[in-house]
Amino acid sequence: MPGPFDFTGQNIETTYQRVLQTDGTNIYDGTGSLFTIFNTSSFATTGSNIFIGSQTITGSISVTGSVTASYFVGTIDGGTF
């Protein structure tokens, strides 16, 4: 049985809002508006991760292991960098 993301047999005018597309850099919704993911809960990851562009974190970061940053602006343990 098809799930809610199966567009088979549906007209584009009734499904385009649920489609995401990319230009290779950004993600856009079916109307061409920039698509942004808001994560207001916990985020866990394992392995290597590369973040390109601005990343804003409100709250705390907990790390087990090492962190490498080529550029940092902020405060660590009360010291401003």
Side-chain angles (χ1 to χ4, degrees):
M1 180 170 155
F5 302 112
D6 183 354
F7 299 139
T8 304
Q10 297 185 34
N11 296 327
I12 189 67
E13 65 267 10
T14 60
T15 60
Y16 71 92
Q17 299 93 337
R18 295 177 7 211
V19 174
L20 295 179
Q21 51 195 343
T22 183
D23 60 7
T25 302
N26 295 305
I27 299 175
Y28 302 91
D29 66 15
T31 67
S33 298
L34 187 63
F35 182 79
T36 305
I37 298 173
F38 293 99
N39 184 355
T40 58
S41 61
S42 297
F43 174 74
T45 182
T46 59
S48 297
N49 296 281
I50 298 173
F51 297 98
I52 299 171
S54 297
Q55 306 296 320
T56 301
I57 299 171
T58 303
S60 61
I61 300 173
S62 178
V63 177
T64 302
S66 63
V67 175
T68 302
S70 60
Y71 181 75
F72 178 80
V73 175
T75 303
I76 297 177
D77 293 332
T80 302
F81 298 88

